Amino acid sequence: MQRYSGFSLVKHALSHHENWQRHWRNPTPKKRYDVIIVGGGGHGLATAYYLAKEFGVTNVAVVEKGWLGGGNTARNTTIVRSNYLWDEAAQLYNHSLDLWKGLSQDLNYNVMFSQRGVLNLAHTLQDMRDVQRRVNANRLNGIDSEVVTPEQIKEIEPALDTSKRARYPIMGASWQKSAGVARHDAVAWGFARGADALGVDLLQNTEVTGFKIRDGQIHGVHTNRGDIEAQTVGCVAAGNSGVLAKMAGIKLPLESHPLQALVSEPLKPILNTVTMSNHVHGYVSQSDKGDLVIGAGIDGYLGYGQRGSYPTIEHTLQAIVEMFPMFSRVRMNRQWGGIVDTCPDACPILSKTQVKGLYFNCGWGTGGFKATPGSGHVFAASLAKGEMHPIAAPFSIDRFHTGALIDEHGAAGVAH
Amino acid sequence: MTQSNRLNQGGRIDRSRRLSFTFNGQQYMGFAGDTLASALLANGVDIVNRSFKYSRPRGITAAGPEEPNAIVQLGASEAAQVPNVRATQQALYDGLVARGTNGWPNVQRDVMSWVGKLGGGFMPPGFYYKTFMAPASMWMTYEKFIRKGAGLGRAPTEADPDIYDHFNQHCDVLVIGAGPAGLAAALSAARAGARVILCDEQEEMGGSLLDSREAIDGAPASAWAEQVVSELAGLANVTLLPRTTANGYHDHNFVTLHERRTEHLADTAAGAGREGEVRARLHRVRAGRVVLASGSHERPLVYANNDVPGNLVAGAISVYIRRYGVVPGQRLVLSTNNDHAYRAALDWQEAGREVVAVVDSRAKPDGDLVKQARDAGIRVITGSAVMEATGSQRVSGAKVVAIDTERFVVTGKVETLECDTIASSGGYSPVVHLASHTGKRPQWRDDLLGFVPGEFKGMHVAGGAHGVYALGEALADGAGVGAEAARAAGFKEAAAIAVPDVAVRHESPISALYQVPHEKPPLRAPKQFVDLQNDVTAAAVELATREGFESIEHVKRYTALGFGTDQGKLGNINGMAIAARCLNRSIPEVGTTVFRPNYTPVSFGAIVGRHCRELFDPERYTALHQWHVENGAEFEDVGQWKRPWYFPQKRRAGGQERLETMHEAVARECLAVRRGVGILDASTLGKIDIQGPDAREFLGRVYTNKWAKLAPGRVRYGLMCKDDGMLMDDGTTSCLAENHFLMTTTTGGAAGVLEWLELWHQTEWPELQVYFNSVTDHWATMTVTGPDARKLMSEVTDIDLDREQFKFMDWKEGKVAGVPARVFRISFTGELAFEINVQANYAMHVWKALFAHGEKYDLTPYGTETMHVLRAEKGLIIAGQDTDGSVTPEDLGMHWAVGYDKPFSWIGQRALTRPDTAREDRKQLVGLKPKDPKVVLEEGAQIVLDPEQKIPMTMMGHVTSSYYSPVLESGFALAVLKGGRNRMGETVYLPMSDGSVHQAEVVSTVFIDPKGERQNV
């Protein structure tokens, strides 16, 4: 793999950039692999990367029906944090955050992970109780959360209206300083480039049309480019997971909803951090390019269209202008939508299935981006060893039968 | 400065109205009817901005929404700042203040340009992914500088002085675009009687007719436009919306239109003398049919240094000359691959300036316009193109060379023509953006060299928007499509208007040319810009494809092509064509990226409308609110309600008067209830009136406990679970009559519970005859509670209050203070209590009567905080505070409220028998008594058994409610704790963020009166 650095840029500039190598090959599918990953988004690519790098499984194919990183990896609002309430979720997201911290160097690809902090605002007494509870739990789980006062909030994010004028004045917030944002596309590309260099075949424009299952064991997949064999198949297909599961005769407790986001035109730096409010219901950060990146809740209906309804956009901006009245004259550039697969308890599914060798990693709902490296890492470990990684184990499909749900609706509250 | 480029006559400006404006601190003059762009060009301002990445000087390139460079910061005052306004779309008004968004100290002499000049070579696409990685700790510092360099304009730092409105509109036919096709379509539909909305983004309707050289019915084309607009304006069934952009096209012909009401007049509505009026309106239009007559955008050619000020899109030249009387230079070279662009040369020459040459990539162009140019003595160089512009602050010449477009090479010797303006045209791209919003992909047409909209139900396309460019054809197309749309909307008789007479012109066909080949290889040639706003060059697109980015989405994301505020209106097709060349594919194989709303940027305020400030979310008040205000209550937000939190009283201490703290007020209120009598405004509790023969059966299914035998006159406490078996809400329900119940819910849960009942009724059990009606606001609820409650009540009611006649959990009808009332003997304080419900409009009378009689009992009003303390002392839960969606009735120790043997399975029953919900060691509700009575534990504090353990600690539960009890003279708390009921008497630990660790004993949840005698006196 060609190493990237400031020096390499200078060197290539002298040859007019004519000698850069491809980020990844465009291989022809082999007949057989050790592991097939269905879905070439961030999570799937991270799984393939860690399989090859950490677990020595390099005979791997990532099968992607469109372009790499073209689903929710390309459509999210790039927030990375780990301040989840319950131990199981906190472990999972914090494992991910730990990997985020060295990711650019590990991948030799700058994913621009900007640890500028995340504020989760509280506007009512109950909000404050929830913030205190979450911060206390985070702290004892080793997550750097703290409760901050309106005065501290004003210092962290001066653009925020912390006055009593607001309909729901800000009473405090939780503040995770090590949280932040990253460059979403670069995460997919960095993992793809890393996986490819380790021998993983990235098969774009290759759509899985069915599974080869005999005697309760997976034997491979049917695709529009022919059959590909493998005894281990991991499905990481986000909004289309339910569709895939159905091909394998499995019913997952997922609902796929449109989730929208929007950006303003690029502005000079005005926001220092990520601000989220469940109660007023919206969140915003500013990208390095200068856009305000804004989102809120999912559209209520189910659907697979990568766009949503306009009232959601109106409500979202109402919340943003309520929190930041100075943004009223800022202009919205564009809106878009992704498809999120949501679980009843707002936590993902990382699980074996009734089909031996067939695994699913899905149900990340509105919060999948931040989990990308952690999800890929524990899922890779599970695929490599045939046993779910301890961090992944509580997220088994079985929990919907036993009732051992991990209800993160509070922490997941406003979609992010 | 003088308007050196202004012609003495011509144009649609009003030379009698001179307007003064300021750009980059310099004062200029323009005329009414100018855009900011035309006024700047008239004044000879070349450089209006600096580019995003390389800080190169940039000038005005186009005349409409496709303009990538002329992005300005608008506004004279801080509150009126608007970032990123396109000068080409901003009408000039007197006193306008604008500046370029980039460039320091100014756009003329920009320091950053040296970074661009020296460092540009080290900044290929995606360079930031390849560097700034070492040392890792430096990224946040690098990022600070990257952020400073990025961004365009700035946000205001003060709140918006303007207001905005939303309109909901319906029409039979919505016509988007008032050019030739749109006007003809609107007229056809309108004459048939259809309700028509015609919107156009420009200051004046007419589109390309306003700068046309052609005649309609023997008169200037603009005259026809004026005549049609005037006829439409006179029709009652037509709504004309100028300055209104269709920005989003959603499912089912829902289109968002943004109408700018005052932005052409002044910074703010007040500044325009329109105090109190809206700055912009959002029209939410449901259209029977949509006619997309959005026209086309001309594509510039991609050649070296095509960004130097003085490079314009050919059509913009005609617009500036014919509409604004402005010629933006002296000596013109036109580079084209089509006939239509020749207009620019003809207009230029007729304006009295020199056309150096027209450079045509075609071998033998012979159209009428070509002939006209030749006849006018203009030099036409064929089979060639402008390969490179020379000059740095302004074009100084054009390098022209013969090219072979098939092999993508130059074939002749370079000739340099001296000039100060280069106009280019690479053909036309239909404006397919809106149609793409629907999810339908546009289709490539080889004959047009452009994408046309895909088919979408309810949408008709007319004119240039699907490649019908010739004026006569566009008019005929529009007329036909307008009639077709009207017929489809139900106006069966609709017929196309008679198409006016337009001379047919012979045109020689366009030939494909996007990027002009250069003498040097693509990566070594001077910068050839594709997307000017984002500084994306042809080399960048080529490099991206070399690096393996083969999907056009990847190319876009890697290079930032089309990511600007223009969403690639000028650059996208060129970028795709270059990607296609590099990948050796056709343009349709490469495909397009997806256009998204908005077509052009829209201020947040216009989307927010009135739903901001005091109207962001309604405040709900009880009927007694005014009394609370007058009596000094502090309020708490609960849902949308304002509830009295506590009633601080004045205290005198040391000759000073001060208000009680919350702690003092709550202690006083608590003791009043425990020792005398207190009163609470409980009106906000949700109340749902439930009626029907199956009401009782329904209650049995939605509550965990039994309802079969609750007699009229009796009240029961009920628990409601979600289907996962977790507590959702609780409250009392009273049997008013055999088929009639009154359910109460928590204040915050009221709407959700009603929705829940309706959901189950409508989707699962529609066969049950039961009806729900929210009566929360109809009834005011006053809780009179304390040992003296009966004495006070007996003075104001005719109801027999005898302990045996009016039992605990009974309700009775009667009069209170002379007003019909329902009185419930239920208690949320543990004391004797009567909940009085009266019609809300009587509430103040009853409340005041109670106080009149209550004076001798020292009747004390109390708020939610005291209510919380009193109920917690009794171990009574608040759903949503002591529960969080993970707590079962069993966890709360409420086995008695779960009817496992009910005949019909109720919501949550199955879930409660799952292995995990049936576990013995689940988190259970317990009481906690801090070892130090002065300590009030933090709500949300986590409980551990071993405070010395390492992080991550094993957490056993958390504090859900915690207060100081003036009766116990100690802090106390409710908590959920793993296996808590088996841990009575154990000591647990609560490690706090300041490093301290509290100790507490696990105790019963009931702290006062464990036998429940006080409420039953």
Side-chain angles (χ1 to χ4, degrees):
Chain A
M1 186 172 78
Q2 208 172 29
R3 291 286 301 173
Y4 292 158
S5 66
F7 174 72
S8 76
L9 276 174
V10 174
K11 192 181 80 179
H12 283 278
L14 300 177
S15 57
H16 302 272
H17 301 290
E18 285 166 343
N19 300 315
W20 289 109
Q21 287 173 7
R22 294 176 62 96
H23 273 51
W24 48 77
R25 297 163 294 127
N26 201 357
T28 310
K30 290 193 278 187
K31 210 169 163 317
R32 186 174 293 113
Y33 292 92
D34 293 337
V35 177
I36 294 172
I37 305 296
V38 183
H43 287 226
L45 293 166
T47 305
Y49 172 74
Y50 288 116
L51 265 173
K53 177 169 176 271
E54 302 279 327
F55 306 100
V57 186
T58 56
N59 187 22
V60 175
V62 175
V63 182
E64 165 55 49
K65 72 172 180 177
W67 39 285
L68 297 176
N72 294 341
T73 306
R75 290 164 212 288
N76 63 81
T77 46
T78 81
I79 297 167
V80 175
R81 61 186 177 87
S82 68
N83 55 352
Y84 278 70
L85 173 63
W86 298 98
D87 299 346
E88 299 86 346
Q91 295 283 339
L92 177 58
Y93 288 101
N94 215 34
H95 179 57
S96 195
L97 184 59
D98 284 341
L99 291 171
W100 273 111
K101 287 175 187 165
L103 196 59
S104 293
Q105 288 70 30
D106 184 36
L107 296 174
N108 180 232
Y109 205 81
N110 192 349
V111 299
M112 304 183 166
F113 178 40
S114 167
Q115 293 182 280
R116 55 180 77 169
V118 170
L119 285 171
N120 289 80
L121 302 179
H123 304 264
T124 66
L125 293 172
Q126 186 57 42
D127 275 1
M128 279 308 292
R129 289 181 199 108
D130 291 338
V131 158
Q132 285 168 359
R133 177 184 175 193
R134 180 132 65 109
V135 165
N136 279 316
N138 284 168
R139 202 165 39 77
L140 301 188
N141 267 323
I143 297 164
D144 62 323
S145 288
E146 56 185 299
V147 180
V148 286
T149 63
E151 294 70 38
Q152 288 171 296
I153 294 169
K154 191 74 191 167
E155 242 167 68
I156 294 168
E157 193 57 281
L160 193 55
D161 182 1
T162 52
S163 73
K164 296 284 179 206
R165 172 215 65 84
R167 172 66 182 87
Y168 296 105
I170 294 165
M171 301 181 79
S174 76
W175 167 239
Q176 187 182 9
K177 207 173 172 184
S178 67
V181 292
R183 172 81 179 99
H184 55 354
D185 290 322
V187 177
W189 301 338
F191 276 122
R193 173 170 165 267
D196 175 85
L198 293 165
V200 173
D201 279 358
L202 306 175
L203 308 174
Q204 299 186 76
N205 301 311
T206 309
E207 182 166 6
V208 168
T209 54
F211 292 100
K212 298 170 79 169
I213 300 169
R214 279 194 312 275
D215 307 325
Q217 159 74 44
I218 191 87
H219 289 281
V221 295
H222 305 294
T223 78
N224 59 341
R225 296 171 74 185
D227 290 0
I228 310 174
E229 289 177 16
Q231 300 296 304
T232 302
V233 174
C235 295
V236 200
N240 283 300
S241 296
V243 179
L244 274 180
K246 201 175 166 194
M247 292 180 194
I250 298 166
K251 211 173 165 188
L252 295 174
L254 295 176
E255 288 184 344
S256 285
H257 287 267
L259 172 64
Q260 300 187 76
L262 63 99
V263 288
S264 74
E265 297 182 291
L267 304 172
K268 294 286 177 237
I270 181 80
L271 292 181
N272 300 326
T273 185
V274 183
T275 300
M276 315 180 69
S277 167
N278 281 6
H279 194 88
V280 174
H281 210 236
Y283 64 87
V284 59
S285 67
Q286 189 175 19
S287 75
D288 285 348
K289 190 166 177 289
D291 309 357
L292 302 179
V293 184
I294 290 169
I298 57 176
D299 278 50
Y301 54 90
L302 307 183
Y304 291 98
Q306 285 174 328
R307 57 191 202 284
S309 62
Y310 198 69
T312 305
I313 298 296
E314 292 179 6
H315 290 308
T316 303
L317 283 177
Q318 286 158 15
I320 296 304
V321 170
E322 169 67 6
M323 291 192 281
F324 298 90
M326 67 166 71
F327 289 164
S328 173
R329 290 170 94 90
V330 170
R331 307 193 303 176
M332 168 180 156
N333 196 18
R334 52 190 264 145
Q335 65 180 85
W336 66 92
I339 314 159
V340 294
D341 42 328
T342 59
C343 269
D345 59 356
C347 270
I349 293 170
L350 291 133
S351 187
K352 294 184 175 185
T353 65
Q354 66 214 40
V355 179
K356 196 157 175 286
L358 179 62
Y359 297 72
F360 270 85
N361 177 349
C362 57
W364 290 91
T366 61
F369 177 70
K370 65 178 75 67
T372 305
S375 157
H377 187 258
V378 298
F379 198 53
S382 308
L383 295 180
K385 293 176 182 160
E387 276 311 316
M388 296 313 291
H389 184 281
I391 289 179
F395 299 92
S396 157
I397 300 176
D398 288 343
R399 74 178 188 274
F400 301 101
H401 298 287
T402 64
L405 305 180
I406 307 158
D407 195 321
E408 281 289 358
H409 279 109
V414 62
H416 41 275
Chain B
M1 282 185 77
T2 58
Q3 299 185 38
S4 54
N5 285 335
R6 183 80 72 180
L7 298 171
N8 290 328
Q9 56 188 20
R12 305 180 69 76
I13 46 170
D14 181 354
R15 286 184 173 76
S16 67
R17 284 181 56 211
R18 293 164 62 82
L19 305 176
S20 155
F21 69 101
T22 308
F23 182 71
N24 282 339
Q26 173 100 35
Q27 206 165 355
Y28 300 97
M29 298 302 288
F31 294 123
D34 262 327
T35 62
L36 175 57
S38 68
L40 286 168
L41 288 172
N43 284 281
V45 177
D46 292 334
I47 305 174
V48 294
N49 217 344
R50 286 278 169 169
S51 79
F52 178 74
K53 187 168 164 185
Y54 303 119
S55 284
R56 289 166 69 106
R58 290 287 165 80
I60 293 161
T61 303
E66 70 274 34
E67 169 63 39
N69 288 336
I71 307 291
V72 303
Q73 179 82 21
L74 192 70
S77 67
E78 184 56 36
Q81 291 298 307
V82 186
N84 305 345
V85 172
R86 257 183 285 276
T88 51
Q89 291 193 289
Q90 177 60 53
L92 195 67
Y93 52 81
D94 203 41
L96 181 148
V97 176
R99 52 179 57 251
T101 55
N102 278 327
W104 186 86
N106 58 51
V107 292
Q108 307 294 332
R109 276 176 292 279
D110 175 42
V111 171
M112 282 299 288
S113 70
W114 290 101
V115 177
K117 274 181 194 153
L118 299 173
F122 311 118
M123 294 193 279
F127 72 97
Y128 28 79
Y129 304 130
K130 293 174 174 163
T131 184
F132 304 128
M133 287 180 282
S137 58
M138 277 297 285
W139 166 242
M140 295 304 287
T141 310
Y142 296 136
E143 189 192 37
K144 198 182 288 175
F145 288 101
I146 291 173
R147 286 191 67 183
K148 270 193 183 156
L152 297 170
R154 65 176 186 85
T157 56
E158 292 175 11
D160 193 343
D162 274 311
I163 55 172
Y164 305 84
D165 252 349
H166 287 176
F167 269 33
N168 291 313
Q169 303 254 41
H170 294 261
C171 65
D172 299 310
V173 178
L174 167 66
V175 181
I176 298 168
L183 286 174
L187 198 54
S188 283
R191 283 188 185 163
R195 290 171 305 157
V196 173
I197 294 177
L198 173 63
C199 67
D200 190 275
E201 66 184 349
Q202 299 198 27
E203 293 296 312
E204 189 180 4
M205 290 191 164
S208 63
L209 296 169
L210 303 178
D211 59 84
S212 175
R213 296 174 61 81
E214 294 175 72
I216 298 178
D217 285 340
S222 56
W224 184 82
E226 283 162 23
Q227 173 204 324
V228 172
V229 170
S230 144
E231 177 179 343
L232 290 170
L235 293 173
N237 56 327
V238 175
T239 305
L240 293 180
L241 294 174
R243 288 182 209 95
T244 303
T245 310
N247 270 317
Y249 192 164
H250 304 264
D251 289 356
H252 313 299
N253 272 356
F254 176 73
V255 185
T256 52
L257 312 180
H258 292 96
E259 180 191 7
R260 298 173 297 281
R261 303 275 301 173
T262 64
E263 285 164 66
H264 60 299
L265 298 171
D267 276 3
T268 63
R274 295 194 177 186
E275 189 98 38
E277 292 185 35
V278 297
R279 176 168 175 248
R281 268 183 199 152
L282 162 63
H283 298 260
R284 298 188 283 212
V285 179
R286 287 271 175 203
R289 314 297 286 189
V290 169
V291 175
L292 193 62
S294 47
S296 62
H297 290 143
E298 191 173 22
R299 291 191 293 268
L301 291 168
V302 177
Y303 49 91
N305 294 332
N306 57 343
D307 67 322
V308 175
N311 283 285
L312 282 90
V313 177
I317 301 266
S318 293
V319 172
Y320 287 117
I321 293 172
R322 301 186 74 89
R323 281 184 67 174
Y324 304 104
V326 174
V327 202
Q330 300 295 331
R331 296 159 61 81
L332 174 75
V333 170
L334 170 69
S335 187
T336 179
N337 64 349
N338 64 81
D339 278 16
H340 195 63
Y342 277 73
R343 294 183 315 141
L346 293 167
D347 289 336
W348 188 277
Q349 194 183 48
E350 284 166 22
R353 306 279 167 101
E354 183 187 351
V355 177
V356 178
V358 175
V359 188
D360 195 320
S361 67
R362 299 169 297 179
K364 288 177 183 150
D366 64 350
D368 289 346
L369 282 173
V370 182
K371 280 186 198 143
Q372 235 178 302
R374 284 186 167 130
D375 292 347
I378 293 173
R379 179 184 173 199
V380 178
I381 308 171
T382 58
S384 303
V386 170
M387 177 191 83
E388 183 177 331
T390 61
S392 59
Q393 306 263 312
R394 169 87 198 199
V395 168
S396 63
K399 291 187 179 179
V400 174
V401 70
I403 55 168
D404 180 334
T405 53
E406 289 296 315
R407 294 189 298 130
F408 192 65
V409 290
V410 301
T411 56
K413 271 190 131 175
V414 175
E415 179 188 358
T416 303
L417 303 175
E418 251 182 66
C419 64
D420 65 359
T421 306
I422 301 172
S424 78
S425 175
Y428 303 86
S429 300
V431 175
V432 299
H433 302 65
L434 285 165
S436 303
H437 296 171
T438 64
K440 292 284 178 248
R441 292 280 175 152
Q443 307 295 318
W444 179 259
R445 289 249 314 261
D446 264 331
D447 58 330
L448 295 174
L449 299 179
F451 285 95
V452 296
E455 279 187 25
F456 183 67
K457 197 180 157 200
M459 179 183 78
H460 307 255
V461 188
H466 63 170
V468 179
Y469 297 131
L471 179 56
E473 290 172 32
L475 289 168
D477 188 39
V481 167
E484 178 191 297
R487 283 196 298 273
F491 297 82
K492 302 283 181 226
E493 306 297 312
I497 56 161
V499 179
D501 185 38
V502 178
V504 176
R505 269 195 319 215
H506 167 64
E507 282 197 33
S508 40
I510 185 172
S511 84
L513 180 63
Y514 307 95
Q515 179 187 4
V516 179
H518 196 273
E519 293 172 297
K520 293 182 180 169
L523 296 185
R524 296 177 181 234
K527 290 191 169 56
Q528 303 162 303
F529 285 93
V530 180
D531 179 333
L532 289 144
Q533 191 177 103
N534 282 327
D535 271 354
V536 179
T537 61
V541 174
E542 175 153 350
L543 189 53
T545 60
R546 283 185 185 215
E547 288 195 84
F549 293 95
E550 297 182 355
S551 158
I552 193 65
E553 283 282 359
H554 277 158
V555 172
K556 164 189 160 187
R557 287 159 186 275
Y558 193 59
T559 62
L561 171 70
F563 258 115
T565 63
D566 52 0
Q567 286 200 44
K569 290 184 179 73
L570 284 187
N572 267 15
I573 305 294
N574 284 333
M576 288 166 204
I578 293 164
R581 173 179 66 72
C582 298
L583 294 166
N584 207 14
R585 294 181 196 157
S586 69
I587 293 176
E589 277 169 345
V590 166
T592 61
T593 55
V594 181
F595 293 113
R596 301 279 189 174
N598 294 320
Y599 174 66
T600 52
V602 179
S603 58
F604 286 7
I607 298 167
V608 169
R610 300 274 178 167
H611 300 270
C612 58
R613 303 174 206 175
E614 63 275 17
L615 297 179
F616 170 66
D617 197 29
E619 290 182 358
R620 292 177 81 181
Y621 304 131
T622 74
L624 302 168
H625 187 77
Q626 193 52 35
W627 191 93
H628 305 321
V629 171
E630 285 164 9
N631 285 271
E634 287 288 330
F635 290 91
E636 175 192 0
D637 284 310
V638 185
Q640 290 172 326
W641 292 100
K642 291 282 180 192
R643 295 196 72 176
W645 188 11
Y646 57 97
F647 291 85
Q649 291 189 349
K650 286 180 187 141
R651 283 196 175 188
R652 291 194 75 81
Q656 293 250 317
E657 203 173 59
R658 67 169 181 87
L659 274 183
E660 288 175 325
T661 63
M662 180 171 88
H663 179 76
E664 290 164 347
V666 169
R668 176 180 49 73
E669 291 171 15
C670 282
L671 289 173
V673 172
R674 294 272 181 242
R675 292 173 186 169
V677 61
I679 186 165
L680 173 80
D681 178 1
S683 305
T684 62
L685 283 185
K687 299 182 239 0
I688 303 170
D689 188 90
I690 303 176
Q691 300 194 39
D694 295 319
R696 194 179 284 278
E697 171 65 22
F698 190 87
L699 289 174
R701 296 185 189 183
V702 296
Y703 275 130
T704 61
N705 47 341
K706 297 181 187 174
W707 296 84
K709 289 182 183 157
L710 187 72
R714 292 291 288 162
V715 184
R716 183 164 289 168
Y717 174 73
L719 293 178
M720 208 176 276
C721 285
K722 288 243 154 143
D723 34 358
D724 60 5
M726 303 302 156
L727 188 82
M728 166 191 168
D729 207 83
D730 68 343
T732 59
T733 291
S734 306
C735 185
L736 302 182
E738 182 50 34
N739 293 340
H740 190 185
F741 295 83
L742 179 70
M743 174 185 280
T744 65
T745 73
T746 57
T747 297
V753 169
L754 182 61
E755 229 170 73
W756 181 249
L757 303 182
E758 290 286 5
L759 173 75
W760 283 86
H761 181 226
Q762 291 178 29
T763 63
E764 301 297 324
W765 307 314
E767 70 280 7
L768 295 187
Q769 274 197 55
V770 57
Y771 307 93
F772 314 101
N773 195 6
S774 170
V775 292
T776 304
D777 297 275
H778 304 23
W779 298 90
T781 305
M782 294 158 254
T783 304
V784 178
T785 181
D788 291 336
R790 186 177 281 114
K791 276 191 267 178
L792 170 58
M793 283 296 288
S794 67
E795 294 187 23
V796 293
T797 184
D798 59 354
I799 296 172
D800 183 353
L801 301 173
D802 180 76
R803 182 174 182 270
E804 296 307 319
Q805 292 304 311
F806 192 175
K807 290 199 180 73
F808 186 55
M809 300 305 268
D810 276 354
W811 77 272
K812 290 203 182 295
E813 225 160 355
K815 291 210 163 148
V816 175
V819 171
R822 292 170 178 165
V823 179
F824 300 78
R825 238 201 95 188
I826 53 181
S827 175
F828 199 46
T829 60
E831 302 296 330
L832 175 65
F834 297 92
E835 277 197 3
I836 306 163
N837 278 18
V838 296
Q839 227 175 285
N841 46 348
Y842 291 144
M844 192 62 93
H845 159 75
V846 174
W847 183 267
K848 284 184 174 166
L850 284 163
F851 272 92
H853 289 273
E855 206 178 339
K856 51 184 163 303
Y857 305 108
D858 196 17
L859 178 64
T860 302
Y862 66 94
T864 51
E865 189 67 20
T866 293
M867 175 190 83
H868 279 212
V869 177
L870 296 172
R871 63 90 202 176
E873 287 174 341
K874 286 291 297 171
L876 300 171
I877 61 152
I878 290 188
Q881 177 173 343
D882 299 297
T883 69
D884 61 358
S886 73
V887 179
T888 68
E890 303 280 352
D891 297 341
L892 296 167
M894 294 195 186
H895 187 77
W896 51 268
V898 184
Y900 286 106
D901 56 349
K902 284 196 281 184
F904 194 94
S905 96
W906 35 274
I907 300 169
Q909 180 177 21
R910 197 187 68 81
L912 286 174
T913 59
R914 293 185 294 187
D916 197 77
T917 33
R919 267 191 302 121
E920 292 284 307
D921 62 342
R922 288 177 60 83
K923 285 180 188 167
Q924 294 158 342
L925 189 73
V926 295
L928 289 184
K929 191 141 195 198
K931 289 281 165 78
D932 177 352
K934 292 194 294 293
V935 165
V936 177
L937 297 172
E938 183 173 299
E939 287 171 340
Q942 295 288 327
I943 302 168
V944 301
L945 298 182
D946 170 15
E948 303 298 320
Q949 62 185 309
K950 284 211 180 76
I951 282 175
M953 292 194 184
T954 304
M955 287 171 262
M956 301 297 288
H958 74 279
V959 174
T960 60
S961 297
S962 178
Y963 312 94
Y964 181 79
S965 164
V967 175
L968 301 170
E969 295 186 335
S970 165
F972 74 105
L974 298 177
V976 289
L977 177 64
K978 271 184 193 164
R981 283 200 285 277
N982 291 325
R983 294 185 187 276
M984 289 298 150
E986 286 184 22
T987 298
V988 294
Y989 300 87
L990 302 107
M992 304 313 300
S993 59
D994 62 3
S996 65
V997 177
H998 296 308
Q999 296 185 34
E1001 184 191 339
V1002 182
V1003 296
S1004 156
T1005 55
V1006 185
F1007 290 86
I1008 280 177
D1009 185 25
K1011 288 188 183 155
E1013 288 161 344
R1014 297 177 63 90
Q1015 65 195 14
N1016 205 13
V1017 291

